[in-house]
Short mmCIF file of all heavy atoms in Angstrom, two decimals:
data_model
loop_
_atom_site.label_atom_id
_atom_site.label_comp_id
_atom_site.label_asym_id
_atom_site.label_seq_id
_atom_site.Cartn_x
_atom_site.Cartn_y
_atom_site.Cartn_z
N GLU A 7 -186.74 -16.33 17.18
CA GLU A 7 -186.59 -15.72 15.78
C GLU A 7 -185.50 -14.62 15.88
O GLU A 7 -184.79 -14.52 14.82
CB GLU A 7 -187.99 -15.10 15.32
CG GLU A 7 -187.84 -14.57 13.95
CD GLU A 7 -189.25 -14.03 13.57
OE1 GLU A 7 -190.17 -13.96 14.45
OE2 GLU A 7 -189.33 -13.39 12.54
N GLN A 158 -95.81 -11.90 -12.34
CA GLN A 158 -94.73 -11.32 -13.33
C GLN A 158 -93.40 -11.25 -12.59
O GLN A 158 -92.25 -11.50 -13.12
CB GLN A 158 -95.19 -9.94 -13.79
CG GLN A 158 -94.28 -9.35 -14.81
CD GLN A 158 -94.19 -10.17 -16.13
OE1 GLN A 158 -95.20 -10.64 -16.51
NE2 GLN A 158 -93.07 -10.28 -16.62
N LEU A 213 -119.52 -23.80 -18.68
CA LEU A 213 -119.36 -24.54 -17.41
C LEU A 213 -118.46 -25.77 -17.54
O LEU A 213 -117.64 -25.99 -16.65
CB LEU A 213 -120.64 -24.91 -16.88
CG LEU A 213 -121.36 -23.75 -16.18
CD1 LEU A 213 -122.89 -24.03 -16.02
CD2 LEU A 213 -120.79 -23.59 -14.80
N ASN A 317 -132.69 -20.10 -4.52
CA ASN A 317 -133.88 -20.87 -4.13
C ASN A 317 -133.68 -22.29 -4.18
O ASN A 317 -134.59 -23.10 -4.57
CB ASN A 317 -135.14 -20.43 -4.93
CG ASN A 317 -135.48 -18.98 -4.87
OD1 ASN A 317 -135.27 -18.35 -3.69
ND2 ASN A 317 -135.88 -18.41 -5.91
#
Side-chain angles (χ1 to χ4, degrees):
E7 182 182 1
Q158 190 61 42
L213 282 164
N317 300 323

